[in-house]
Amino acid sequence: MKPADLAKSGTESGHQRAVFAWAALNVARYPELKWLHHIPNGGSRGDDAKSRAIRGGALKAEGVKTGVSDLSLPVKRGEFSGLYVEMKKPGKIKTESQDQKDFGAFVKSQGFGYVCVDNWEDAVKVIEDYLQWH
């Protein structure tokens, strides 16, 4: 499926899927895309309050952290040790939480790149620019 088709839903998930579809199509050009990965710190935890509490407790015990970015590319470029990308639903870029802002500031202080985007095209542009930088 084409990246743009995946993003048609208009959801954050659809746009993240589009990024990974693009990555799959471009891994021959950018072999480092093999290591691009999603960090599952958000999303649905269950259908009711009890199942959400149980799943949320298990994930917290497994190390899930509020505010951690959605995507990570552990590839060094220039002064940066890697890149974190926070994905937002289209039109919701201004909804970055304080925890997400704090995480972004922290990883920047540790020598990583950080960006918050609200669509797959911007995410791809940042990732491509990052990978082309030497």
Side-chain angles (χ1 to χ4, degrees), residues 40-78:
N41 279 320
S44 177
R45 302 285 188 230
D47 294 328
D48 58 38
K50 183 178 179 181
S51 64
R52 283 191 294 276
I54 291 168
R55 184 68 184 136
L59 289 171
K60 187 174 180 180
E62 292 170 7
V64 167
K65 302 282 185 201
T66 302
V68 174
S69 293
D70 297 302
L71 309 180
S72 175
L73 182 61
V75 175
K76 184 167 179 50
R77 283 293 186 271

Side-chain angles (χ1 to χ4, degrees), residues 57-102:
L59 289 171
K60 187 174 180 180
E62 292 170 7
V64 167
K65 302 282 185 201
T66 302
V68 174
S69 293
D70 297 302
L71 309 180
S72 175
L73 182 61
V75 175
K76 184 167 179 50
R77 283 293 186 271
E79 65 191 66
F80 297 108
S81 298
L83 176 66
Y84 285 95
V85 179
E86 176 60 34
M87 298 286 298
K88 292 290 178 191
K89 182 177 178 178
K92 299 291 185 181
I93 199 161
K94 292 182 170 77
T95 64
E96 192 177 17
S97 73
Q98 189 59 51
D99 286 334
Q100 291 165 335
K101 291 175 186 176
D102 292 345

Side-chain angles (χ1 to χ4, degrees), residues 1-26 36 71 87 119-124 127:
M1 186 171 270
K2 294 179 183 177
D5 292 337
L6 292 165
K8 283 182 182 176
S9 68
T11 65
E12 179 180 322
S13 175
H15 280 259
Q16 282 188 37
R17 291 176 193 188
V19 171
F20 282 94
W22 169 85
L25 293 170
N26 286 278
L36 178 67
L71 309 180
M87 298 286 298
N119 63 75
W120 76 275
E121 295 98 334
D122 286 352
V124 164
I127 292 167

